[in-house]
Amino acid sequence: ERTRVEARDPLRRCLDRRNFRLNGPEDARILNLHSTTFMVIYAEHAGNNRRQFFRLLHGYRTLSPEKELTSSNLNAVEKNWVPFLDVDQKPHVWRWLEDEDGYGVAHLIDLRSGVLGEAMRQRSFLRSFVLNAPGPKAKICGGTPAVALNATHRVAFGHVTRNRRYYTVFAYVFEAQ
């Protein structure tokens, strides 16, 4: 038996054949919240904009209705948010796009509404480190959900593309308090 997440806009037709973009969810991540409850977070097009959505998967078969992750101060929306549980087992997302001061940003997720909590900022060198690495210009393209490295830190993997042909994998660690 299968559970399926349909496209949010069945009339949308992506014309970007070169990148093989689909009409439907992109870059899904799964985060285990409880023994049989998972959060599925993904990017989806809403009109002409890419937004982040999530659904809860209960008992391996039942998907909750879709909820958009919202915040009053979201500017650019990237599709590679990293879900993780903090030290109190509360769900958050880490945004790879650093703010204007070079800080990485994480938000607590309200699972009832999809509203993101106040931004928690942490000095980040991820983008500058990855994008300034030797060789052809790199673009951050994807990664994995973060998992506990120890009681206070999380580790995840990401990857970059160079010249649309070469992938480089990297790992990074951040504080999850």
Side-chain angles (χ1 to χ4, degrees):
E1 189 169 326
R2 293 186 287 177
T3 300
R4 185 178 175 132
V5 177
E6 299 289 344
R8 124 176 283 287
D9 179 1
L11 300 178
R12 179 177 174 266
R13 296 290 177 252
C14 183
L15 302 177
D16 191 353
R17 307 268 187 241
R18 181 175 172 186
N19 287 329
F20 306 107
R21 295 234 164 103
L22 301 175
N23 179 30
E26 296 179 357
D27 296 312
R29 310 282 190 267
I30 298 175
L31 182 66
N32 187 342
L33 299 175
H34 305 289
S35 61
T36 60
T37 303
F38 299 85
M39 181 177 73
V40 181
I41 182 173
Y42 53 92
E44 176 69 279
H45 288 269
N48 292 326
N49 298 313
R50 183 183 301 152
R51 297 285 182 218
Q52 289 287 334
F53 296 89
F54 76 93
R55 290 181 173 198
L56 298 178
L57 176 61
H58 301 283
Y60 308 114
R61 293 184 185 189
T62 307
L63 274 174
S64 70
E66 175 180 83
K67 291 186 178 141
E68 183 175 356
L69 294 176
T70 61
S71 174
S72 60
N73 63 352
L74 277 182
N75 293 325
V77 177
E78 61 186 289
K79 64 179 186 165
N80 292 306
W81 289 12
V82 179
F84 68 95
L85 297 174
D86 69 10
V87 295
D88 297 321
Q89 300 302 299
K90 293 180 181 174
H92 289 70
V93 287
W94 172 269
R95 295 171 45 207
W96 279 1
L97 287 179
E98 293 159 2
D99 68 14
E100 61 279 353
D101 298 322
Y103 284 81
V105 179
H107 296 274
L108 176 67
I109 302 170
D110 182 331
L111 294 175
R112 294 178 309 260
S113 66
V115 173
L116 297 175
E118 184 178 337
M120 292 168 272
R121 300 171 71 220
Q122 187 177 112
R123 182 52 107 179
S124 176
F125 302 100
L126 177 64
R127 288 181 64 81
S128 61
F129 177 77
V130 170
L131 300 180
N132 293 324
K137 183 177 178 184
K139 178 181 175 187
I140 296 177
C141 293
T144 66
V147 296
L149 178 64
N150 58 35
T152 59
H153 290 77
R154 303 296 179 259
V155 62
F157 286 91
H159 69 268
V160 298
T161 60
R162 296 174 188 278
N163 294 335
R164 302 177 68 93
R165 293 184 179 173
Y166 305 101
Y167 277 78
T168 303
V169 175
F170 61 91
Y172 61 99
V173 175
F174 61 92
E175 191 174 357
Q177 292 188 5

